[in-house]
């Protein structure tokens, strides 16, 4: 691309907007090919500049097809956010540098992290008695940080285990507390959530921990239990900012960013301020909430670019009308996909109890498991990728986070119908 | 920029190449203004596409001046790396997605992390008996991880403290070991490194820890001590990949990426494999080297985009001819700046003993401290930013990492001379 004359490929303006407005949920006579738009890049040749010493690659927005990415995380991001990030990667808003180069204590980055925090506060309507921390290490680091910060080694704490992630959180908490599983869905292969009335909580448990959405098993809490004597803590990694949440019901909400709100590398912790400041002596300093709260997430160098990306996503979610609007879109996508499964006469099956099916992660199997590899392969040929289920459970999984367009789910559903017609 | 007709601003090809080849070290008759090239953006208007529904912002490489960024980290990155990252941010090499969207277990990202590791191995000539880990949490997390992984709580370990970072590492290690400071430069305001012969190492110390380059104080090891009975461990955060290093002399080398090799958010640990697998029971799983080594840094979701950026930097360093060539450039830049200080007749002063002055971080003060604020302010007006010293020590600091062009140091030196002429 450094050759001369400089060739600039402009995007076909139609390419990203699949014309599937008001489609029937099952477009019975729509052949898949009608979903593939003819996409020719327009090549516009401009005169070469008079000097050509500049060896920098030209920015390319060439017409390479964007896939529909159903990965469970890292996952698809909003297209306009990516394009905005691309446009200002080299020089952020006239600052003369990339966000990646900014001192985390300079005024430019401070404006970025402060706006990200403020926008997140608006999005989730986070009360002022809660701190927002931007940390590193993923939810898995929080599995340790939570007991290390909140309890003594002999304190009882309760875990409600509805999938693999809740189980991992419990196992890590055992190192630093008297953690107990008060209910596990394991015997049902993690397909349901118990009624809260019947839960036998430990009388003195300091907290009750749940995983609000199990990424692997596709089980999502639609409402929340109350901790009998302590606080409620939720790992919301895979449904964070996918719908409104009453933050005041929780002591801590935490989430790895890489599902709904950004790239991997930043973990968001929303914590009631009065819970901060009681870390066990053996707590590594980087796992101590007080250190991070006292320093506004700037005790050491934070993952600056990841925080910046989250900020762009928060802006985008606000521009969409906030989380009520986002939830409507997510419900529509999920209903479309679950209907396709349920109306397939058993060709596709979702094992999860209907009332707790995740709006984010949709696991399903084929009646004929021997077809599953073909399903994944053929879908990939149609530019729908990462549909293979987690290696621990098999089958398929379609993750349809905020940034998955309706058109992506429509295309998947059309493909499923076509695949069924060919293999039933 | 979404308006029509689409306007594409091409870079003035000369703009980034300051014409200062073979300048005198102090260009005595060069007025500063000659360093500011006339920079007019060339605006090329192409015909508008016939349809304009596409609201995506056009990629802009507009002619906004790039600053010389002397920040200590996050810090300036190679311009060609930034431009390459920008060019493929939206769609990585025809994959149909951004690197930020890729599953960390997909073949695309695996190719990225494997190449990054392989290129780093080449760059530093890392023997096969060493593992390379890409982790989160910065060097500060390693301050805890090192004792947690290598020793028992009652084991003696030695710390040689030549600046603030070595001191922080020591304080964190005390939580998890019998850590001892065997030498501290604090009484000399951290301006020197002791002779190794006289060091009184603890007889049974399991390791000797050093900070190879003190970012705040500008003190750099030019050669390395040997641990009497254990291994040598070095925090190389701020001089990692700035020069060749004999990795075989170390048990562990670790470094936050955000100085010489990438954005903040990823920490690289190079560890001799036989040291892995002895973590204390209280080690949080995310701090356990064995977990990460067994899973090739993919136990949980790694900071994918940061790793990708490091990979681009490693490629760039190899393309420059490897670390021997990089060191030559760094020496030239550092000599230029230290000479300017030393030949200023005391107007500028560097407190660090000459034999251990850092090639990366150059702290200096003014004879008249009341001028320091003006110095920083006027330099910023000339687009040389982040020259203020760390808040803990005051004065000035110029960080001149790998990616700081020679032209940046030349411009700073010319400014210093001019400033002195006006204020002496």
């Amino acid at each position: 691309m450094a050759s001369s004359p400089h060739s600039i490929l402009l995007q076909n303006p139609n390419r990203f907007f699949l014309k599937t407005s008001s489609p029937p949920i099952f477009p019975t006579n729509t052949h898949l090919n009608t979903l593939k738009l003819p996409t020719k890049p327009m090549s516009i040749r401009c005169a070469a500049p008079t000097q050509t010493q500049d060896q920098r690659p030209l920015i390319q927005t060439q017409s390479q097809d964007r896939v529909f990415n159903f990965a469970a995380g890292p996952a698809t991001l909003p297209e306009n956010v990516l394009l905005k990030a691309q446009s200002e990667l080299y020089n952020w808003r006239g600052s003369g540098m990339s966000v990646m180069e900014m001192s985390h204590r300079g005024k430019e980055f401070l404006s970025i992290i402060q706006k990200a925090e403020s926008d997140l506060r608006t999005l989730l309507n986070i009360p002022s008695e809660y701190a927002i921390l931007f940390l590193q290490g993923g939810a898995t680091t929080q599995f340790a940080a939570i007991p290390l910060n909140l309890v003594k080694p002999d304190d009882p704490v309760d875990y409600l285990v509805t999938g693999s992630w809740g189980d991992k959180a419990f196992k890590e908490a055992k190192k630093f507390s008297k953690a107990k599983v008060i209910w596990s869905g394991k015997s049902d292969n993690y397909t349901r959530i118990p009624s809260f009335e019947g839960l036998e909580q430990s009388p003195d448990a300091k907290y009750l921990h749940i995983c609000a959405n199990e990424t692997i098993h596709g089980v999502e809490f639609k409402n929340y239990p109350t901790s009998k004597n302590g606080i409620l803590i939720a790992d919301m990694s895979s449904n964070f900012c996918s719908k409104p949440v009453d933050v005041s019901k929780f002591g801590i909400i935490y989430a790895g960013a890489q599902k709904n709100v950004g790239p991997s590398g930043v973990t968001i912790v929303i914590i009631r301020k009065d819970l901060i400041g009681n870390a066990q002596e053996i707590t590594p300093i980087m796992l101590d909430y007080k250190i991070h709260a006292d320093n506004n997430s700037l005790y050491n160098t934070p993952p600056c670019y990841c925080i910046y990306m989250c900020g762009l996503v928060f802006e985008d979610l606000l521009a969409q009308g906030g989380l009520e609007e986002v939830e409507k879109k997510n419900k529509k996508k999920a209903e479309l996909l679950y209907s396709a499964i349920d109306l397939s006469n058993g060709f596709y099956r979702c094992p999860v109890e209907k009332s707790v099916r995740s709006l984010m992660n949709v696991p399903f199997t084929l009646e004929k498991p021997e077809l599953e590899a073909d399903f994944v392969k053929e879908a990939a040929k149609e530019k729908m990728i990462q549909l293979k289920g987690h290696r621990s459970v098999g089958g398929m999984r379609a993750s349809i986070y905020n940034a998955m367009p309706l058109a992506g789910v429509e295309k998947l559903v059309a493909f499923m119908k076509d695949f069924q017609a060919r293999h039933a």
Side-chain angles (χ1 to χ4, degrees), chain A:
Chain A
M1 281 305 293
S3 63
S4 176
H6 291 241
S7 170
I8 295 154
L9 299 174
L10 291 181
Q11 200 75 56
N12 177 329
N14 267 333
R15 205 174 54 77
F16 288 107
F17 300 94
L18 283 173
K19 294 297 177 192
T20 50
S21 53
S22 312
I25 287 185
F26 271 92
T28 46
N29 54 2
T30 304
H31 188 269
L32 268 178
N33 282 338
T34 63
L35 291 168
K36 289 187 289 178
L37 295 175
T39 60
K40 264 198 182 172
M42 291 186 292
S43 178
I44 300 176
R45 285 180 185 277
C46 301
T50 48
Q51 300 187 53
T52 55
Q53 299 98 312
D54 188 358
Q55 294 304 303
R56 298 175 307 110
L58 267 187
I59 302 309
Q60 223 177 343
T61 54
Q62 70 184 44
S63 185
Q64 293 162 322
D65 280 337
R66 185 162 164 81
V67 296
F68 286 120
N69 177 6
F70 293 92
T76 193
L77 287 166
E79 195 176 326
N80 57 330
V81 163
L82 288 174
L83 289 162
K84 185 169 177 78
Q86 184 176 42
S87 74
E88 59 191 25
L89 183 143
Y90 172 71
N91 186 343
W92 183 79
R93 302 179 195 182
S95 65
M97 58 189 157
S98 174
V99 172
M100 289 186 247
E101 303 178 294
M102 289 175 182
S103 167
H104 56 299
R105 306 200 187 280
K107 64 181 189 303
E108 295 88 355
F109 183 72
L110 290 180
S111 76
I112 288 172
I113 191 171
Q114 285 160 3
K115 180 158 195 312
E117 180 181 329
S118 158
D119 282 352
L120 178 58
R121 209 173 271 282
T122 304
L123 265 177
L124 277 167
N125 198 18
I126 300 172
S128 59
E129 59 263 37
Y130 285 74
I132 299 174
L133 309 177
F134 294 96
L135 306 178
Q136 294 186 63
T140 304
T141 298
Q142 298 310 311
F143 295 167
I146 286 164
L148 279 169
N149 277 272
L150 299 190
V151 305
K152 304 281 169 250
D154 283 336
D155 281 337
V157 296
D158 285 346
Y159 281 72
L160 204 168
V161 176
T162 53
S164 297
W165 290 104
D167 184 53
K168 286 192 177 193
F170 160 70
K171 283 174 177 151
E172 183 74 350
K174 277 202 297 183
K175 287 184 196 166
F176 311 109
S177 67
K178 297 279 180 232
K180 183 182 171 189
V181 173
I182 59 162
W183 186 90
S184 168
K186 193 171 185 186
S187 58
D188 300 318
N189 295 318
Y190 297 126
T191 52
R192 64 187 194 93
I193 290 175
S195 83
F196 302 148
E197 291 70 36
L199 284 179
E200 291 189 22
Q201 298 190 37
S202 307
D204 301 319
K206 298 285 181 186
Y207 65 73
L208 171 61
H209 181 281
I210 62 169
C211 177
N213 184 69
E214 285 284 353
T215 321
I216 294 173
H217 296 92
V219 174
E220 183 173 19
F221 283 78
K222 304 300 174 179
N223 45 50
Y224 303 102
T226 310
S227 172
K228 200 179 267 177
N229 290 303
I231 53 163
L232 180 62
I233 298 179
D235 175 359
M236 290 197 183
S237 291
S238 52
N239 66 352
F240 190 62
C241 289
S242 69
K243 59 184 179 185
V245 166
D246 181 354
V247 173
S248 71
K249 288 186 173 170
F250 298 84
I252 298 178
I253 290 171
Y254 65 103
Q258 70 273 11
K259 320 289 186 178
N260 275 307
V261 300
S264 61
V266 59
T267 309
I268 295 164
V269 174
I270 301 168
I271 180 169
R272 224 176 60 203
K273 290 176 182 169
D274 64 299
L275 300 172
I276 296 172
N278 304 302
Q280 294 181 27
E281 275 182 25
I282 55 162
T283 308
I285 199 166
M286 285 295 288
L287 272 63
D288 187 339
Y289 293 143
K290 182 165 167 52
I291 290 286
H292 295 294
D294 286 351
N295 291 277
N296 299 312
S297 303
L298 297 169
Y299 170 69
N300 75 332
T301 318
C304 298
Y305 197 74
C306 301
I307 293 169
Y308 155 76
M309 287 299 302
C310 289
L312 294 187
V313 172
F314 297 151
E315 271 181 13
D316 180 66
L317 294 175
L318 286 171
Q320 287 183 46
L323 298 186
E324 286 81 4
E325 293 305 311
V326 169
E327 183 183 31
K328 279 182 205 163
K329 293 178 194 173
N330 286 332
K331 279 188 171 166
K332 187 172 178 185
K333 289 183 287 176
E335 281 165 13
L336 184 58
L337 184 48
Y338 284 117
S339 293
I341 293 166
D342 292 340
L343 297 176
S344 71
N345 293 319
F347 187 82
Y348 302 106
R349 292 170 180 189
C350 172
V352 181
E353 198 176 84
K354 285 189 181 178
S355 64
V356 295
R357 285 177 172 179
S358 168
L359 297 189
M360 300 283 102
N361 310 97
V362 181
F364 58 98
T365 54
L366 291 194
E367 191 179 13
K368 306 172 186 168
E370 66 275 16
L371 292 175
E372 291 178 349
D374 281 348
F375 182 96
V376 171
K377 213 158 111 185
E378 290 182 27
K381 273 189 200 157
E382 301 285 343
K383 298 191 178 297
M384 293 175 286
I385 68 164
Q386 293 290 341
L387 282 161
K388 202 174 166 186
H390 189 270
R391 59 199 188 288
S392 66
V393 295
M396 262 77 65
R397 175 178 50 172
S399 293
I400 50 174
Y401 297 119
N402 289 353
M404 171 57 65
L406 177 62
V409 179
E410 289 172 337
K411 185 172 173 177
L412 174 60
V413 164
F415 170 79
M416 288 167 70
K417 177 123 185 114
D418 182 77
F419 187 87
Q420 181 175 358
R422 287 184 282 113
H423 293 95

